[in-house]
Amino acid sequence: MSDALHYDVVVAGGGLVGASAARALAERGLRVALFERRYCGAQASGVNYGGVRCQGRPEEQLPLAMRARSLWDRLPALIGIDGEFVRSGHLRLARRESDLEPLDTWSAMASGYGLATVVLRGAEFRQRFPWLGEGAVGGSLCLSDGHANPRLVSPAFARAARALGAHVHECTPVASVAHDGVRFQLTAQPAEGEALHVSADWLLNTSGAWANHIADTFGERVPMHAIYPNMWVTEPLPKFIGHNLGVYGGGVYARQVARGNCVIGGGRGTGDGEYAQASADTTRAVMREACALLPALRHALLIRTWSGVEGETPDGNPIIGMSRTTPRLVHAFGFSGGGFLLAPGVGEVLADLVTHGESATPIAAFAVDRFAPAMAEAR
């Protein structure tokens, strides 16, 4: 095999995680190839809600989330654009009084990781957020959170990787992969032209909802299923939403962009594991809930709905870390709808694993084999 087709690292999957890893590795001087079966950032990474939020995450994600959050302030230096990132703050709403205690508990826990939040209730909450309806009785505010435009951010990471010397192959799915005992041997088939045969010292499996194709090849299939987050956007409205909004317990989320359009999401669309589409029934149901929280939406026109394909794990945490079966295979997938904030930090962690064999950011909770006992019992 020609040395010209040998790489230090091959990245399989050109979503935000894969493109971020390719950029970080190329910046560290490694020879990198990224293969994406469609277009970089065109799947879940480019069609998600766009929330850049640390608030509300499980404790095991917070070290990674805080590392990732620091990178969002550096987007222009990292990828050449700001990605419409706005530090709007994130307000996590309580719909009932009983939701306030767990918000207090979470706030106290998060403070130990350097994340500042404040829980507001009663008259103070009403005075501060008069634009909220009776559907909310309080909320936790994290001013360092925000939102960005995924349609801009995700492809920009791939362009930045290419600018640093990574070979980025779009519309070029990986057709086969094996480990010969020394290196990975891969065949990728571009939409036009002959197949590409490459070898690599390292393989990063960042293939999103389709990552089990590679994981299964190396005996590490995980119990992951496809989900189809349901989202829509309104016509431009006078500015009234002060923060990126979520709800304790889930169900609806909303933000307003500079032009006035409100991006809203909640529930699930439909799909076949390969493609997704929004659900009109889900949109109507969640929009009623959104209007209870945000009365100004009651007469808004919806101008577009959409969905995407994402992989969800049983515990809602991603798979991140070294393979347990194959040397120099690294997994990063299954972000369960919460990967947009995390992805730049995950890219740095993957680069740490390749260049140093470990990362200072704790990722043990995301090990690929954490479901193995349950899977063995199920057999």
Side-chain angles (χ1 to χ4, degrees), residues 126-181:
R126 289 285 163 218
Q127 291 168 4
R128 186 157 180 175
F129 308 113
W131 42 273
L132 285 167
E134 296 301 317
V137 301
S140 173
L141 179 61
C142 179
L143 288 175
S144 59
D145 283 346
H147 55 83
N149 187 338
R151 294 177 68 86
L152 299 178
V153 173
S154 299
F157 268 91
R159 290 195 299 271
R162 183 182 283 118
L164 288 167
H167 293 181
V168 177
H169 301 271
E170 295 184 303
C171 298
T172 309
V174 173
S176 66
V177 58
H179 193 274
D180 65 8

Side-chain angles (χ1 to χ4, degrees), residues 29-378:
L30 278 75
R31 181 172 168 81
V32 181
L34 183 154
F35 292 95
E36 165 56 41
R37 65 193 194 123
R38 293 178 185 156
Y39 293 96
C40 291
Q43 300 299 314
S45 294
V47 299
N48 65 80
Y49 167 70
V52 179
R53 120 193 116 73
C54 294
Q55 180 164 224
R57 294 181 179 273
E59 183 174 2
E60 58 269 23
Q61 287 189 17
L62 283 180
L64 176 60
M66 296 297 284
R67 178 174 182 177
R69 175 61 188 84
S70 69
L71 297 173
W72 283 89
D73 292 322
R74 298 175 48 215
L75 282 191
L78 292 175
I79 61 175
I81 62 171
D82 65 9
E84 296 180 2
F85 172 59
V86 177
R87 184 171 170 168
S88 63
H90 179 264
L91 181 60
R92 191 181 186 201
L93 298 173
R95 285 176 286 200
R96 55 191 67 86
E97 293 293 333
S98 59
D99 293 340
L100 291 169
E101 183 176 350
L103 289 181
D104 287 330
T105 301
W106 193 94
S107 179
M109 178 274 294
S111 68
Y113 293 88
L115 185 64
T117 58
V118 58
V119 180
L120 304 164
R121 47 175 47 89
E124 181 184 11
F125 176 78
R126 289 285 163 218
Q127 291 168 4
R128 186 157 180 175
F129 308 113
W131 42 273
L132 285 167
E134 296 301 317
V137 301
S140 173
L141 179 61
C142 179
L143 288 175
S144 59
D145 283 346
H147 55 83
N149 187 338
R151 294 177 68 86
L152 299 178
V153 173
S154 299
F157 268 91
R159 290 195 299 271
R162 183 182 283 118
L164 288 167
H167 293 181
V168 177
H169 301 271
E170 295 184 303
C171 298
T172 309
V174 173
S176 66
V177 58
H179 193 274
D180 65 8
V182 179
R183 293 174 169 177
F184 291 95
Q185 305 291 342
L186 301 97
T187 301
Q189 180 61 61
E192 298 181 0
E194 297 182 359
L196 301 175
H197 302 284
V198 303
S199 66
D201 296 323
W202 290 80
L203 174 62
L204 305 190
N205 178 17
T206 59
S207 302
W210 301 271
N212 263 330
H213 293 309
I214 291 177
D216 198 23
T217 297
F218 296 100
E220 294 187 302
R221 186 176 188 86
V222 301
M224 179 176 69
H225 66 277
I227 58 173
Y228 314 101
N230 199 76
M231 289 158 284
W232 56 98
V233 63
T234 73
E235 63 182 322
L237 301 172
K239 186 69 175 177
F240 73 100
I241 299 180
H243 304 290
N244 178 15
L245 301 178
V247 176
Y248 178 78
V252 63
Y253 36 93
R255 62 185 178 92
Q256 191 169 21
V257 302
R259 188 169 180 264
N261 307 78
C262 297
V263 182
I264 308 163
R268 298 288 186 239
T270 60
D272 60 4
E274 189 72 17
Y275 296 98
Q277 64 181 38
S279 163
D281 289 342
T282 298
T283 300
R284 282 191 288 267
V286 178
M287 191 63 179
R288 285 193 289 270
E289 184 175 353
C291 288
L293 297 170
L294 299 163
L297 291 175
R298 286 173 181 162
H299 301 292
L301 296 177
L302 307 189
I303 60 175
R304 185 168 65 91
T305 62
W306 71 94
S307 184
V309 186
E310 169 68 301
E312 183 176 64
T313 64
D315 62 7
N317 274 326
I319 307 295
I320 307 172
M322 303 291 290
S323 165
R324 301 300 197 232
T325 66
T326 309
R328 297 185 174 182
L329 170 63
V330 187
H331 300 293
F333 61 89
F335 286 86
S336 306
F340 189 57
L341 160 82
L342 296 177
V346 175
E348 294 285 337
V349 166
L350 299 182
D352 291 345
L353 295 177
V354 171
T355 56
H356 303 302
E358 60 183 3
S359 177
T361 301
I363 56 171
F366 314 133
V368 68
D369 61 348
R370 68 182 185 271
F371 303 115
M375 293 176 70
E377 289 178 10

